[in-house]
Amino acid sequence: MTADDLNAPLGQQLRKRRLSIPITTSQVMAAVLTLFLGVFVVWAVVGNNPFGGEPIVAVPINLHPGPAAKTADGQTPPKVVAVNPDAALAVQAAPGQMASPPAATKTITIIDGKTGERKEVVLPAPANDAAPDAGPLDQKFLEMSAHGAIPKIAADGVRPADAFAQPVKALPGKPDAPRIAIIVSGLGVSATATADAIAKLPGAVTLGFMPYGSDVAALAGRARARGHEVLLQVPMEPFDYPDNDPGPQTLLTSLTPQQNIDRLYWLMSRLQGYVGIASAMGARFTASEPSFSPVLREAAKRGLIFVDDGANPRSLAGRIAGANNLPFAKADVTIDAVPTASEIDHALGRLEMAARERSIAVGISSGLPVSIDHIAKWAKTLADHGVQLVPITAVALKPKQT
């Protein structure tokens, strides 16, 4: 305050002091923000809506008209259920009636945003969900392990390999026609590639599933529902491991038999309903009798078959399988070793020639789109050529009867 201000009358000094109180812009903004947050908190507490702030849609649906108030034109007004569109479209039956989900529908549970009430609602299945899974398996073929359900022979002696095998009918007028089994491998990791294989390939083609996909059990169930036999591909140690690593829980020659069996149980528990197991890589493992024998004994004990991919000429699979009465098959031709259209067609021709020479032949392929397309096209011509396409259990060497 200046000297002139001090000499001014007292009333004038007081007025200047009142007018000089500082109010900054940041203080004004802080006050406005505090007021806004206070209003928001009060609204959230009173509203009690966990979906607050998200868009909703009101859908009129009337599945089962019941005794209800009529509109002016004599019609029963539909029920209206408001839900979060990211969750579902809710369907509600009339009071006192049980809504039976029609075919190709799904039932889910939603939570009312205001009351917290849980409601069962029925949804139409997605258009691309045309292949349902095969449903729950008979529990007599399952045994609980530390990792989950794994296969077992039923108390009446029926093996899973027989229970889950697909029936085979001889070609009309050609009961002794040569037989070809084809395995498309590496499925279950990519849902799109797996769905493509299930949809395009005939049911007689066997599908091999790797155990790592997030939805591998459901995909394998869909394959079985479409008539495919299913194999579990078991990752085994290659010569250049760990530079070439098949994945988690790989069976290794450096582990004890008990450790490998524990890993095998984990792999087996990832899906159900398969007729057998197949090697995935495994050049070093399948050549080591101390490591490989316990695994094949376990497969025989559980009523499965074993399929060797044919990549390792030093594999002991045939000899060990025979010693343990284990049904066994080995791939004769790798169909897409060179994954081009012309080479795939040439490989399928060699496979057909092998079947004519030896009565049976086995081919193995990856799930590449080009492989799937050419196998599907070729399979349509086989019957006209007098050759029958069959699932893998139809050509596996059977164990001795005990």
Side-chain angles (χ1 to χ4, degrees), residues 339-383:
T340 64
S342 59
E343 290 300 323
I344 289 171
D345 289 339
H346 290 158
L348 290 170
R350 294 197 304 273
L351 185 63
E352 190 172 333
M353 185 180 301
R356 295 184 187 281
E357 292 174 353
R358 302 196 298 267
S359 298
I360 62 172
V362 178
I364 191 166
S365 167
S366 71
L368 290 172
V370 64
S371 305
I372 292 172
D373 289 342
H374 281 260
I375 292 172
K377 180 180 178 181
W378 168 83
K380 295 177 181 179
T381 68
L382 271 186

Side-chain angles (χ1 to χ4, degrees), residues 236-253:
M236 300 179 184
E237 180 183 358
F239 280 119
D240 53 352
Y241 181 87
D243 293 334
N244 190 7
D245 188 349
Q249 304 295 325
T250 293
L251 307 188
L252 302 174
T253 56

Side-chain angles (χ1 to χ4, degrees), residues 69-358:
K70 304 290 184 178
T71 61
D73 58 1
Q75 300 297 317
T76 302
K79 296 279 182 182
V80 177
V81 183
V83 299
N84 184 335
D86 290 335
L89 280 179
V91 178
Q92 188 177 17
Q97 298 191 16
M98 180 65 68
S100 300
T105 62
K106 292 183 178 180
T107 302
I108 67 169
T109 301
I110 64 169
I111 302 174
D112 188 287
K114 291 185 177 181
T115 66
E117 179 185 358
R118 294 178 177 270
K119 298 179 181 179
E120 297 292 328
V121 298
V122 181
L123 304 177
N128 61 357
D129 195 19
D133 66 33
L137 297 180
D138 192 329
Q139 294 297 306
K140 71 180 183 179
F141 297 111
L142 296 177
E143 173 184 323
M144 289 305 299
S145 73
H147 304 291
I150 60 176
K152 73 169 185 178
I153 299 175
D156 58 5
V158 178
R159 304 167 185 259
D162 298 323
F164 304 135
Q166 294 293 331
V168 176
K169 294 182 180 179
L171 289 179
K174 299 178 181 179
D176 298 323
R179 291 182 165 190
I180 291 178
I182 287 183
I183 302 160
V184 173
S185 62
L187 302 178
V189 178
S190 167
T192 301
T194 304
D196 199 38
I198 293 172
K200 292 183 177 180
L201 295 171
V205 174
T206 302
L207 303 184
F209 284 80
M210 293 296 290
Y212 302 126
S214 60
D215 203 26
V216 63
L219 291 170
R222 292 182 186 180
R224 292 179 52 242
R226 289 290 295 266
H228 297 279
E229 287 186 355
V230 170
L231 290 172
L232 167 67
Q233 292 186 260
V234 175
M236 300 179 184
E237 180 183 358
F239 280 119
D240 53 352
Y241 181 87
D243 293 334
N244 190 7
D245 188 349
Q249 304 295 325
T250 293
L251 307 188
L252 302 174
T253 56
S254 59
L255 299 179
T256 67
Q258 293 77 16
Q259 289 172 320
N260 277 323
I261 294 302
D262 183 72
R263 289 189 170 204
L264 179 65
Y265 285 179
W266 184 91
L267 297 163
M268 284 181 165
S269 70
R270 297 289 293 155
L271 59 146
Q272 285 81 38
Y274 43 91
V275 297
I277 62 177
S279 56
M281 297 190 185
R284 182 187 298 275
F285 192 87
T286 58
S288 171
E289 186 165 4
S291 299
F292 197 22
S293 289
V295 172
L296 293 195
R297 282 198 298 271
E298 189 69 24
K301 171 186 173 182
R302 299 198 169 277
L304 303 172
I305 72 171
F306 182 78
V307 178
D308 191 297
D309 63 9
N312 179 21
R314 297 170 56 187
S315 173
L316 303 175
R319 180 162 64 81
I320 298 174
N324 289 278
N325 294 330
L326 173 68
F328 169 74
K330 181 180 179 180
D332 302 294
V333 176
T334 300
I335 295 168
D336 57 356
V338 181
T340 64
S342 59
E343 290 300 323
I344 289 171
D345 289 339
H346 290 158
L348 290 170
R350 294 197 304 273
L351 185 63
E352 190 172 333
M353 185 180 301
R356 295 184 187 281
E357 292 174 353
R358 302 196 298 267

Side-chain angles (χ1 to χ4, degrees), residues 47-81:
N48 191 28
N49 183 5
F51 293 135
E54 297 188 22
I56 64 171
V57 59
V59 184
I61 300 175
N62 188 21
L63 289 181
H64 301 280
K70 304 290 184 178
T71 61
D73 58 1
Q75 300 297 317
T76 302
K79 296 279 182 182
V80 177
V81 183

